[in-house]
Every structure is written in structure tokens, then in C-alpha cells.
Amino acid sequence: MLTHYQQVISKMRMFSVSHKTVFVVDHCPYMTESSRQQIECDMLTKSRAQGVIPLAPVSKSLWTCAVECSMEYCRILYDIYPTRKLVNYIVSDSEFHILNSWRQEDQSVQELMTALAAVGPPNPREDPECCSILHGLVAAVESLCKITEYQHEARTALVDLADRVANRGRIICLTNAKSDTHVRMLEDCVLETIQEQNKLAAGSDRLMPIQQCELVLVHIYPQGDDTLVSDRPKKEISSVLSSEVHSVRAGRHLASKLNVLVQQHFDLASTTITNIPMKPTLSVCEQEEQHANTSANYDVELLHHRDAHMEFIKSELHYCTGAYRISPVEVNSRPSSCLTNFLLNGRSVLLEQPRKSGSKVISHMLSCHGGEIFLHMLNSTRSTLEDPPSISEGCGGRVTDYRITDFGEFMRENRLTPFADMSVDAAGRPPIERAKAQLERHTRYWPMIISQTTIFNMQAVVPLANLIVKDTMTEDDVLTCQKTVYNLVDMERKNDPLPISTVGSRGKGPKRDEQYRIMWNELETLVKTHVGTSERHQQVLECIIACRSKPPEEEERKKRGRKREDKEDKTEKNGKELEEKMWTQDSDRLKGAMEREKEDQSESEVIKDSPDSPEPFNKKPRLATEEIQPLEKSKGPVSLFSLWTNRITQANSRKHQEFAGRINSVNNKAELYQHLKDENGLDVHENGKATR
């Protein structure tokens, strides 16, 4: 329940400048001039019969453009604020014509359109000297001094504070000014009239003095002409009057300008609904050319209160957190008409909004209540009743190897506790400043991801990492850090493995030498961030640098170790290549032996089939002589195929009788035709010629 004081403040805030809006539209003869924005009237071009003269395009007058745009302004206002936002419409020519009053029953577009129809267009034959926009501006100031029903209700309810009920308003003047001087003359006229009316209102119970008035002058000129009036932003003319000037071409430019102004004046925002499937509207000829079931996607722009966007940003409640009236920007367009009819039939439309991560979230809902359409703001944040989000749903995306356990320990070490008194340390810092300094020291070097650090994944480095962030270090702390460094040196000498992450890398990862180089670099980076804290921090850094500078014999040992690793890798690589090469050679050799065996077998079959041929010896084919010799021990790896081939060759060599000539040969050379030498007593040489 609101208290009485809160109700008073709420009613006083109710009467802002947007509570009263007075439209003053110029009805002088020069407003009958054409806007020169042509409108095509012949819409049935394709289906027009031959011999029919096409209709000539027409253009609206300045008066028509001003009336249409001002009515669109009022329509949007009445759609979103059906009450408490009032409009008074005045037409000015040789005198002023007030088309409605501040009463709520007169606040409708139908009421204004009926009154405008009675006024009619400007009379071009009327004397221009007798016509002036000043008549309407004076009537507008007088109208602002009149009390509305809501102001009267507030003054009656707050008798003691009746003088605190505000009276503010806005005047929107649509005219065709002659120059900047003419504009200044209009501003001076409005200021003088306000001062005069305030004097009259001070002594009257039916009038209220104007505390603030905004004058919006919109200069309308035909398209193609040069403007004689300059744009000017909002300017304070006096303590009660501010003025701004807009120079706009008639037609669609004027409609866009008033659309922007209504959003500024009443804190409105725009939401565009995209990708609405809808069958297009086609002419008879076009429907014959296109399929009847084709559809296209349309967009519909809606205006609503700005809070519908703000509430989406700061929503904390569950389900719907707000509902705001909407108004289509193009109310007569077919997409807008289809959407509004769809909603008025009791259906709802859910709106999705893309996120930066690429996903979508349902942020708003369009629905109808009591014949009026509202934009509902839906809660898109996670409910407190749900489970906490996964780490992969955060700003890191798919990164999941965060140091969550270490971060929990980090938070425990940096918790804030209340101090009974504001005691200061030796440096004169209060507790909050000391806490900030500690947090700054702890976060100078703190990798967030496990794969980005080595030393924070090593238990051996924990003592040094905990002590180096301290503001002051004792001698025992320095000794502990030095002992940690010596332990790391001993680990490197023993060639112990390190917890190096291989995420994103191929193969076995960096070699052991490279792993320790990465570890020492990171450890030195951590200590260097704190080296300026004290001299003892500097001693820890000097210890690390001294241990990193190896003696010559240590470097030579490391070099020999690297050469041995490279040699082993090279031997392993060459062994694989030699094995592949021997496999190929053995395959070719076996293939040739099998082919020769087939040829010998086919030849023996031919001889055996002949009736005159003697019975052949039972003799198996023999391989090359060099294969009979025992194989030397291979220096490298031997393939399975080579082992099997050698075994078969040795087994076959023992299954046949050796050739007698080869047994009696000398150096594998046997003399032929020995019987001729014995019979004739000739010496037979190797070339087969006899000699005496």
C-alpha cells in the first residue's frame, strides 16, 4: 500500500510536459501549395485494356501532409496512452479554430477527423494578409492555462498542496515559415503571451500559470525547394519557455520526423518483428503468373514504452515482468493489419532475440487483453530454483578447463571481514585499502585456464607461489623459496616429467628440455611481478637466475642427451624405411622364383608327354647358389617375409643330390670333357681347344 506522501509525489509527477500537447496547424492559403511528392493512382497497369488512357499521378498539398502526419502522431499517442495524455487541436487562418477540449471524451482520432472534415481545406482565394499562424499560437498558450480534469482532481485531493500541482505543456506548430527572423518573431510572441496569461491565471481559480512550455516549430516546405529556415536544437528562451526548430520536406520526410518526435516526447521505443510468413497480395494478372501457395516473409514495426526494453535488461522476476501497449508504425499496411487481426483473435506471438553467442532467447510476447494489444516482457534469466549453470555457458564458451578449485581457494584467501575500528597500518592505510592491495598482488599473475600454466599445476611449486605474493617476507620464507627452486633443479637433473598440457598440439608434445624451459620461464615471470615488493623478493629472483645458468659440464651433458634422443629417433625412422625396402626386394625375388618354377614344370610336362623321350630325373628346381650360403646376421631389423623365405630356401637345399661337377670343382670351376683327355692324352683347356 502506498502511503499518503507517496501518493502526493506520484500525482505531482504525473503532470509532466507530456500531459498537455497542443497542435497548431497552419490553415492559410499558402498551405494549399503542392508538396510535389507524386502518388501513382493507376495501380492496374498489367491488366489495363488497350486504348485506356492511364491516370496521371497526383500530389498532396502541404495542408494534407500536415493533417495526415499530425493525426498519425495522435493515433500513436492514443494507442499507447489512452488516458492522462491529452491533445488539444487548433487550426489557424484569419482566426483560430479549436477542434476539441481537454476533456477525456474528446480525446480520440475519430473526434478530431470529424472536426477537421468540418473545417475543410484552406481557401486559396482568402486574403493572405488577414491570415496568420499567430492566432493559433496565442490560443494554444491560453489553452495550456486551462485546468484539465486530472489536474482538478489532484488539486481537490491535495488541498494543502494545491499550489504544488504542476502545469506544464508542449506546443507543436506545423507551418510554412518565411525565414529565421519569422521564427524568432513567433517565439517572442509565444513568450509574451505566456507572461500575460500567467498574470491572469495568478488571480483566477479556473486557470493555472504555465510553469514550463516546450515550443516545437516544424517548418514544412515542398520537395525540390530550398529551405529558408535552419534547423535548431532545443534552446532555453526563458525559465518557462524552450524552443526547437525542424525544417522538413513535405511528404514521407514529414511523416518520419513526427514519428521520431512522438517517440522522444513520450519515451517510446521501437520493436521490429521480422520473418512473418504471409501470402503476398497480388493483382489478378500476377496471381495467374505465380503459384497460389507461395508466401513471403514480412516485417512489422511496433512502438511501445521504452521500459519494455529496459525491463528486459534488468529483469529479476519470474514469468512476465511487464506489459506495455503497442502501436503499429504503418497501421494501414497489410503486414500490420494481418498481425493485429491475428492477435485480436485471441492468439499470441512469441518474439525471439539473438544472443551474442549465436543462440536465441524468447524475450517478449504479443497478446491481446480486452481488445487492446500489449507487449509482454518475459523473464529470460535463470530462475533461482534451477541448477547453477555449466561453466561452458559462460563468457568462455566451450572452454571448460578453468582453475575452478584454485579460484575457490583464491576467494577464501581474499574474503572481506568487518573491522571493529578503522585501524591503520604503518603506511597509514585503512583496512579496505590493505584488502585492495592484497587483491592486486594476488592477481598480478594468475592464469585462469589449466592448459595455460605449468607451475600452478605442480605441487612442488606451491610453497613458493604462496609466499611470493606476501607483502613482507621473512628469512625463513626466503629459505623455503630457495629450497623449492633447488628441488626443481633436482627434478630437472633426474629428467622427471612435468604436467605440460598437450591440448591443441599434435604428437608427443614438447621434449623434456623444452618442458623445463617453459617451466623456468613461467616461474621467473611470476617472481618478477613481485620483485619490487622487497629485497627478499629480489633474493628469490636471483636464486632462480643463478640456478638457470648451468655450468659447462651440465650443458655438455644436456647436449649429449639431446644428440642421443635425436639418434634414437633417426634410427627408428631408418629402420622403418629399411624394413619397407627389404620387404619390396623379397617380394620381387619370391615372385621371380615362382615364375621360374612354373616354366620348369611346364617344360618337364612337355618332355614327359613325348613317346621318344627318356624318363627325366626326379630333380627339383634349384635357386641361385648364393642363396644356399648361410645368411649373415642382419645388422638391422629383418621382416617376417625374409625370415620365412630363408627358411624355405635352406630346407629345399637339403632335399636333392649335389651335382658331381660342383663337388669336384675348384673355386666353383669344373673342367669339362675329362674322358677325352684320358683317351687321347690331350690337354683340354677351359676354352675347349686341344693342344699337343
Side-chain angles (χ1 to χ4, degrees):
M1 295 292 292
L2 292 177
T3 63
H4 177 70
Y5 178 76
Q6 289 175 330
Q7 293 177 353
V8 171
I9 298 299
S10 176
K11 291 183 178 181
M12 291 173 61
R13 290 178 178 176
M14 184 190 308
F15 305 111
S16 62
V17 176
S18 60
H19 175 61
K20 292 180 179 180
T21 301
V22 182
F23 263 101
V24 180
V25 182
D26 202 336
H27 195 247
C28 296
Y30 48 77
M31 293 295 290
T32 58
E33 185 178 354
S34 172
S35 64
R36 300 175 191 169
Q37 180 181 348
Q38 295 184 347
I39 301 174
E40 295 291 341
C41 296
D42 197 352
M43 304 301 295
L44 301 176
T45 305
K46 293 186 178 180
S47 60
R48 185 177 63 246
Q50 295 182 354
V52 178
I53 301 175
L55 299 175
V58 298
S59 61
K60 301 176 183 178
S61 64
L62 299 181
W63 162 258
T64 303
C65 293
V67 169
E68 287 184 349
C69 295
S70 60
M71 286 295 100
E72 187 69 10
Y73 183 104
C74 296
R75 181 193 65 80
I76 294 173
L77 175 60
Y78 290 148
D79 283 349
I80 300 177
Y81 296 102
T83 60
R84 298 189 179 278
K85 305 295 181 184
L86 309 178
V87 174
N88 189 212
Y89 206 95
I90 299 176
V91 173
S92 178
D93 44 33
S94 58
E95 58 181 352
F96 62 87
H97 307 274
I98 301 178
L99 305 187
N100 67 334
S101 66
W102 292 123
R103 293 183 304 175
Q104 186 63 53
E105 54 266 24
D106 291 342
Q107 302 297 313
S108 66
V109 176
Q110 293 78 10
E111 186 76 19
L112 294 177
M113 293 294 289
T114 302
L116 283 170
V119 172
N123 185 5
R125 293 183 295 273
E126 192 172 0
D127 186 6
E129 298 296 333
C130 299
C131 299
S132 176
I133 192 67
L134 292 175
H135 303 301
L137 291 176
V138 172
V141 175
E142 295 176 353
S143 179
L144 287 178
C145 290
K146 297 179 181 179
I147 302 176
T148 65
E149 296 175 350
Y150 301 104
Q151 289 176 324
H152 177 70
E153 178 184 352
R155 294 180 68 180
T156 304
L158 307 173
V159 179
D160 298 336
L161 302 174
D163 55 339
R164 295 192 179 184
V165 176
N167 184 31
R168 306 183 182 94
R170 180 182 292 113
I171 300 175
I172 302 177
C173 178
L174 305 180
T175 183
N176 180 264
K178 299 178 176 61
S179 62
D180 291 338
T181 306
H182 185 204
V183 171
R184 286 192 294 272
M185 184 268 292
L186 297 178
E187 294 172 346
D188 295 339
C189 176
V190 172
L191 180 58
E192 292 178 3
T193 307
I194 291 176
Q195 294 173 351
E196 294 176 358
Q197 291 297 318
N198 283 349
K199 294 178 180 178
L200 294 176
S204 174
D205 295 334
R206 297 182 179 181
L207 300 177
M208 292 182 65
I210 299 175
Q211 299 173 351
Q212 183 182 0
C213 177
E214 292 184 3
L215 176 62
V216 181
L217 287 170
V218 181
H219 167 64
I220 309 173
Y221 63 97
Q223 296 195 25
D225 288 359
D226 295 333
T227 178
L228 302 177
V229 178
S230 304
D231 283 346
R232 194 188 65 203
K234 189 174 181 180
K235 175 184 176 182
E236 296 293 335
I237 305 297
S238 69
S239 59
V240 295
L241 178 64
S242 62
S243 174
E244 57 184 283
V245 181
H246 302 275
S247 183
V248 190
R249 291 193 297 270
R252 62 177 181 273
H253 303 282
L254 179 60
S256 300
K257 173 57 67 175
L258 286 183
N259 184 280
V260 172
L261 289 178
V262 72
Q263 296 183 48
Q264 295 176 354
H265 294 165
F266 298 96
D267 293 331
L268 304 183
S270 171
T271 296
T272 302
I273 306 173
T274 61
N275 299 328
I276 301 176
M278 190 184 306
K279 291 184 179 181
T281 303
L282 303 175
S283 62
V284 177
C285 182
E286 290 172 335
Q287 287 179 351
E288 294 176 356
E289 296 177 358
Q290 296 191 11
H291 197 272
N293 292 328
T294 59
S295 62
N297 292 335
Y298 291 89
D299 300 341
V300 175
E301 183 181 3
L302 304 178
L303 295 179
H304 50 80
H305 197 276
R306 192 182 304 274
D307 289 348
H309 286 173
M310 299 302 295
E311 289 296 329
F312 173 70
I313 297 175
K314 61 181 182 180
S315 62
E316 296 180 357
L317 301 177
H318 201 49
Y319 304 116
C320 178
T321 60
Y324 305 90
R325 288 182 172 85
I326 61 97
S327 179
V329 174
E330 299 179 2
V331 66
N332 294 323
S333 66
R334 185 169 179 265
S336 299
S337 176
C338 291
L339 178 63
T340 53
N341 289 333
F342 181 84
L343 296 171
L344 291 174
N345 288 332
R347 300 182 182 181
S348 301
V349 175
L350 296 176
L351 307 184
E352 289 182 341
Q353 183 173 352
R355 283 179 170 173
K356 293 182 180 179
S357 59
S359 61
K360 295 182 179 180
V361 58
I362 298 178
S363 58
H364 296 80
M365 179 185 70
L366 284 171
S367 185
C368 177
H369 303 288
E372 296 184 358
I373 301 175
F374 289 82
L375 179 67
H376 298 73
M377 219 303 297
L378 303 180
N379 181 30
S380 61
T381 58
R382 188 180 295 270
S383 171
T384 56
L385 303 178
E386 300 179 16
D387 294 332
S390 171
I391 192 68
S392 60
E393 297 181 19
C395 58
R398 297 183 179 179
V399 179
T400 56
D401 59 334
Y402 291 105
R403 298 171 55 201
I404 301 176
T405 305
D406 294 343
F407 187 69
E409 185 65 27
F410 167 80
M411 290 191 296
R412 280 192 293 270
E413 293 175 356
N414 293 273
R415 282 187 299 182
L416 294 177
T417 57
F419 259 68
D421 55 345
M422 293 298 292
S423 60
V424 296
D425 59 359
R429 298 179 303 176
I432 185 62
E433 295 300 328
R434 296 202 298 272
K436 291 180 180 179
Q438 176 179 327
L439 185 62
E440 188 273 333
R441 289 195 308 273
H442 280 245
T443 56
R444 287 179 187 175
Y445 183 77
W446 204 92
M448 296 181 61
I449 302 174
I450 297 175
S451 58
Q452 291 180 349
T453 180
T454 301
I455 60 175
F456 288 101
N457 299 331
M458 300 172 59
Q459 192 66 27
V461 189
V462 171
L464 186 147
N466 292 337
L467 294 174
I468 201 68
V469 297
K470 295 174 63 176
D471 193 10
T472 57
M473 294 179 65
T474 63
E475 289 294 339
D476 293 338
D477 295 339
V478 175
L479 292 176
T480 303
C481 292
Q482 292 175 347
K483 184 178 179 181
T484 302
V485 176
Y486 297 149
N487 290 338
L488 296 177
V489 173
D490 189 55
M491 289 176 58
E492 185 177 13
R493 184 180 58 83
K494 295 178 181 178
N495 214 15
D496 292 343
L498 295 179
I500 296 291
S501 175
T502 58
V503 177
S505 61
R506 297 182 178 179
K508 301 178 182 178
K511 296 182 179 180
R512 198 64 51 82
D513 240 9
E514 180 67 16
Q515 293 179 10
Y516 275 94
R517 188 187 66 81
I518 295 173
M519 185 273 294
W520 285 113
N521 287 342
E522 186 178 7
L523 184 63
E524 189 172 338
T525 301
L526 171 65
V527 178
K528 280 184 177 179
T529 57
H530 302 276
V531 72
T533 307
S534 69
E535 294 181 359
R536 291 191 172 95
H537 290 79
Q538 179 69 31
Q539 293 177 12
V540 178
L541 178 62
E542 292 173 354
C543 177
I544 295 175
I545 296 175
C547 292
R548 290 199 66 179
S549 57
K550 307 279 192 318
E553 56 271 13
E554 183 71 14
E555 291 295 334
E556 185 66 24
R557 187 183 65 82
K558 289 288 183 181
K559 188 181 297 183
R560 288 197 302 270
R562 286 193 296 267
K563 289 183 178 180
R564 184 170 59 254
E565 291 179 0
D566 296 341
K567 186 176 180 180
E568 291 176 357
D569 295 343
K570 188 175 181 181
T571 302
E572 183 180 355
K573 182 178 180 182
N574 293 339
K576 291 182 180 179
E577 294 178 355
L578 179 61
E579 182 180 353
E580 294 176 358
K581 185 176 181 181
M582 291 181 64
W583 178 272
T584 305
Q585 292 176 354
D586 294 342
S587 300
D588 296 341
R589 189 182 305 158
L590 179 60
K591 185 177 180 181
M594 294 176 65
E595 290 178 355
R596 287 195 298 271
E597 182 179 358
K598 289 181 181 179
E599 292 176 359
D600 296 343
Q601 184 178 359
S602 62
E603 183 178 353
S604 63
E605 289 175 357
V606 173
I607 295 175
K608 186 175 181 179
D609 291 342
S610 176
D612 299 332
S613 61
E615 193 71 22
F617 292 103
N618 187 12
K619 188 176 181 180
K620 293 186 177 180
R622 176 172 175 77
L623 297 177
T625 307
E626 60 270 18
E627 294 183 1
I628 302 175
Q629 300 176 0
L631 295 173
E632 297 181 1
K633 187 176 181 180
S634 176
K635 296 181 180 180
V638 182
S639 65
L640 180 61
F641 178 74
S642 300
L643 293 174
W644 179 256
T645 304
N646 294 337
R647 180 182 178 185
I648 295 299
T649 302
Q650 293 176 2
N652 291 338
S653 65
R654 294 191 294 268
K655 291 181 181 180
H656 67 275
Q657 186 178 359
E658 186 58 74
F659 178 52
R662 184 177 292 109
I663 296 175
N664 299 327
S665 63
V666 180
N667 294 330
N668 286 334
K669 293 183 180 180
E671 293 186 4
L672 302 178
Y673 312 110
Q674 288 286 339
H675 63 286
L676 295 178
K677 180 178 179 181
D678 296 339
E679 293 176 0
N680 301 328
L682 298 176
D683 294 334
V684 182
H685 300 284
E686 291 180 7
N687 55 8
K689 294 183 179 180
T691 57
R692 299 251 178 214

